Amino acid sequence: QYVAGAYFARGLSVYRDFISFQPPLYTWILGVVFDALDGWYLLAARVVTWLLAFGSCALLFSLLRSCGTARVGALALVLAFATSPFTKGPLVYSRNDIMPLVFLLVGLRLCLGADGAISQSAARTMSGGFFVALAAATKYTYVFAAPVLAAAFLYDEYVRREANRPFRAPRTGSFLA
């Protein structure tokens, strides 16, 4: 379904010329890779998926480290994640499960500073919101990540206000934009 959809998307329109049961972003991105390689479609799809799985492990390690997890603990958690059934699939199959996770983790990485606290930069927050939206555009189930992150931003703003710091609700607006 995923490889064939990307192959067809090279010259046909999704939903007009053929049916896809997923949002078209993964299909379009993989179609661009197919156009660039012009052959070896299944192998190319698996390599792209493997690279995305590796990237998600690297991003997860980075997020764990920024939140204060020790290096050995972060590595153990990433190894547990990498050997979980969710991540073992992308190493064998070519599916769209891992691309939205990478987009979500990039969004989180942008929203969190090096110290694990929510970033004070509106540009980083807006970029993070863009990547979370890309995750939802790649797989429908990721649409629930944005409200959870928005609630975290609002809670962070509430804590800042209660600590007699200025209330910066526009940061939450930047994320949602």
Side-chain angles (χ1 to χ4, degrees):
Q1 165 185 343
Y2 304 103
V3 176
Y7 178 79
F8 290 140
R10 296 171 62 214
L12 303 173
S13 293
V14 181
Y15 305 124
R16 186 190 74 193
D17 298 325
F18 66 96
I19 297 292
S20 177
F21 298 113
Q22 301 292 332
L25 186 61
Y26 178 79
T27 302
W28 291 335
I29 291 172
L30 206 54
V32 169
V33 172
F34 287 177
D35 280 341
L37 296 177
D38 198 31
W40 299 94
Y41 302 120
L42 185 57
L43 179 63
R46 287 187 176 176
V47 167
V48 165
T49 307
W50 183 84
L51 289 171
L52 290 170
F54 180 76
S56 69
C57 289
L59 285 164
L60 183 60
F61 182 80
S62 172
L63 283 166
L64 288 168
R65 290 291 293 147
S66 73
C67 290
T69 308
R71 184 173 289 144
V72 173
L75 186 59
L77 289 170
V78 168
L79 284 174
F81 169 74
T83 57
S84 73
F86 177 79
T87 333
K88 282 170 62 176
L91 296 176
V92 179
Y93 309 114
S94 179
R95 296 178 46 93
N96 72 337
D97 297 324
I98 204 75
M99 187 178 286
L101 178 64
V102 170
F103 289 148
L104 177 66
L105 291 173
V106 168
L108 284 172
R109 181 70 258 164
L110 288 168
C111 288
L112 296 178
D115 60 349
I118 294 179
S119 175
Q120 297 297 316
S121 167
R124 283 180 61 110
T125 305
M126 187 175 279
S127 299
F130 173 76
F131 278 101
V132 171
L134 276 178
T138 308
K139 193 157 182 100
Y140 295 130
T141 53
Y142 282 80
V143 75
F144 300 106
V148 170
L149 288 172
F153 277 113
L154 289 172
Y155 177 75
D156 183 62
E157 299 297 342
Y158 172 76
V159 169
R160 289 180 194 285
R161 185 178 66 191
E162 291 300 313
N164 294 325
R165 295 183 188 163
F167 184 71
R168 298 177 189 226
R171 272 197 2 226
T172 305
S174 297
F175 172 78
L176 294 175

